[in-house]
Amino acid sequence: MNKETFGKVAVLLGGTSNEREISINSGQSVLRALKQNGIDAIGIDPKTDNLEQLKLFDRIFICLHGKDGEDGKIQKYLDSLKIPYTGNGAAASSLCMNKYLAKKQWAKDNIPTPLFMLANSPDDYTILRKYFGDEFILKPASSGSSLGVSIVKNNNDYMEAFDNASKIDSTIIAETYINGNEYAIPILNNAALPIIEIKPKTNFYNFDAKYNRQDTEFIC
């Protein structure tokens, strides 16, 4: 029944971004789940496989992370092939992947978001400190998994954070630091699922706490 309902499904995983390994892990998990439910699915890695073969599939499950996976590029390509895929469309993906543009849109629409501005130089610490106070966030505009995100408390922190962020993206954002609890709220078919509180043992929910450590608590 599932094969008849969904046809041939390609799971896109891996890719070329700095989140490649995470994408492979999540993609393999999705692939196993689809096969266990009787769906005709195979994995395709844009880094090593020819994407022309996607024309042979009926649906695409996107498990790509970061650049070229969440920024609208693969979505635009799939739109040109007229093949349905999971997630948002090309325009929304492009906007949401760039946190600076997304936050500008939220501000325009009166949606609350922490104060933010561009950090243009490793010499901007004094200017940003006057705007944000003694503690603020620095992060690349277009990246995921908390890569390149830092809490800045002094000039040395800032210079190191700016260097780390600039290795990931040319657009870097400074943002108000908000100290509080971390929550995730999954939404499926427009229905909110149970809230999950996340308690990392690191100073914030960074890449290490998300993927490498075993002591991060998830409370549902």
Side-chain angles (χ1 to χ4, degrees):
M1 178 61 181
N2 282 336
K3 288 184 179 181
E4 296 174 1
T5 302
F6 297 107
K8 288 172 62 73
V9 178
V11 178
L12 290 178
L13 73 170
T16 58
S17 80
N18 51 11
E19 300 175 68
R20 172 176 170 79
E21 295 305 315
I22 305 303
S23 171
I24 291 173
N25 290 341
S26 57
Q28 291 292 351
S29 295
V30 167
L31 196 56
R32 284 193 299 271
L34 292 176
K35 288 181 176 180
Q36 287 169 3
N37 282 276
I39 295 172
D40 183 11
I42 68 166
I44 294 180
D45 187 341
K47 184 176 182 179
T48 57
D49 299 322
N50 188 343
L51 293 183
E52 284 289 312
Q53 64 183 299
L54 293 178
K55 296 176 181 177
L56 304 175
F57 289 85
D58 300 296
R59 286 170 174 77
I60 311 295
F61 199 118
I62 301 175
C63 280
L64 297 172
H65 292 235
K67 184 175 178 290
D68 296 336
E70 296 180 276
D71 57 6
K73 292 179 183 176
I74 190 68
Q75 289 82 3
K76 189 174 182 180
Y77 177 66
L78 295 175
D79 284 339
S80 72
L81 298 180
K82 294 181 171 54
I83 302 174
Y85 53 86
T86 57
N88 293 315
S93 297
S94 177
L95 177 64
C96 292
M97 190 64 187
N98 188 314
K99 298 176 183 68
Y100 181 67
L101 297 180
K103 286 170 72 68
K104 286 182 69 175
Q105 184 64 51
W106 296 339
K108 181 180 178 182
D109 293 338
N110 296 315
I111 298 173
T113 186
L115 293 174
F116 66 99
M117 65 186 298
L118 291 177
N120 298 307
S121 161
D123 301 320
D124 282 352
Y125 173 72
T126 302
I127 297 171
L128 295 172
R129 186 175 180 275
K130 287 181 180 178
Y131 189 74
F132 294 108
D134 293 337
E135 205 168 7
F136 57 90
I137 297 291
L138 203 71
K139 60 187 178 185
S142 297
S143 184
S145 295
S146 298
L147 286 168
V149 178
S150 302
I151 298 175
V152 173
K153 297 181 180 180
N154 54 55
N155 191 42
N156 288 337
D157 283 352
Y158 176 76
M159 288 190 292
E160 182 179 351
F162 190 91
D163 182 60
N164 290 335
S166 62
K167 291 175 182 175
I168 296 173
D169 193 12
S170 58
T171 303
I172 301 169
I173 306 171
E175 188 177 58
T176 299
Y177 173 68
I178 296 178
N179 186 22
N181 296 339
E182 179 102 21
Y183 297 96
I185 304 176
I187 298 175
L188 184 63
N189 290 333
N190 294 319
L193 302 182
I195 298 171
I196 300 168
E197 182 179 5
I198 303 166
K199 290 187 173 183
K201 298 302 183 288
T202 48
N203 59 345
F204 71 99
Y205 191 40
N206 57 20
F207 182 91
D208 198 34
K210 289 180 178 181
Y211 301 117
N212 297 327
R213 296 175 66 109
Q214 302 301 312
D215 56 1
T216 302
E217 293 182 79
F218 300 91
I219 300 169
C220 185

